[in-house]
Amino acid sequence: MSTSEIDPSVQAELNRLRESIDNIDAAVVHMLAERFKATQQVGRLKADHRLPPADPARETRQIARLRQLAQSANLDPAFAEKLLNFIIAEVIRHHERIADETGNGDGSEPGTGTGAPTGA
């Protein structure tokens, strides 16, 4: 069945629903962009203070929190966890890059670039 064969009222409803989906997709992209702006700031702060790019304890708390939110929103918690794990992996990759760019990802003393151990 081609689009031209669909009942006009069905096509109108389909278009309305798809427009809603498109708007939601745009909102998701903008929200992710805002989230990554915040995590970039976290990455810079971590690099400046020689903190590790990953925080497994926080990640565990966030996953549990997101699974709970998903369940209360009637969204599959496993799907929500997969999505968050994907986002977390990207954030960690950004944090590692920031640490490397600031010279704080190589074990050197801040600002020296000598590679001298920090005792951390």
Side-chain angles (χ1 to χ4, degrees):
M1 177 179 275
S2 71
T3 310
S4 62
E5 299 173 40
I6 298 175
D7 180 284
S9 65
V10 172
Q11 186 64 53
E13 180 67 2
L14 187 58
N15 291 345
R16 183 189 69 76
L17 291 168
R18 286 178 173 165
E19 186 175 314
S20 179
I21 290 167
D22 292 349
N23 289 337
I24 293 165
D25 288 346
V28 167
V29 167
H30 288 286
M31 291 301 296
L32 282 171
E34 287 301 311
R35 188 185 195 288
F36 278 103
K37 285 179 190 174
T39 61
Q40 292 290 336
Q41 292 173 345
V42 168
R44 284 190 290 280
L45 187 62
K46 284 181 171 184
D48 290 347
H49 295 277
R50 297 195 170 282
L51 298 171
D55 185 344
R58 170 153 168 83
E59 292 160 21
T60 298
R61 289 190 309 272
Q62 284 297 93
I63 288 168
R65 180 178 159 272
L66 195 69
R67 286 184 67 92
Q68 200 169 35
L69 287 169
Q71 191 165 5
S72 68
N74 294 317
L75 180 67
D76 180 6
F79 169 77
E81 182 174 348
K82 287 176 191 175
L83 177 62
L84 186 60
N85 280 327
F86 179 77
I87 292 169
I88 288 170
E90 185 68 8
V91 168
I92 291 169
R93 191 179 67 77
H94 290 178
H95 289 184
E96 290 169 342
R97 188 188 75 238
I98 291 167
D100 289 344
E101 288 172 358
T102 60
N104 291 341
D106 62 359
S108 65
E109 290 294 324
T112 66
T114 64
T118 61

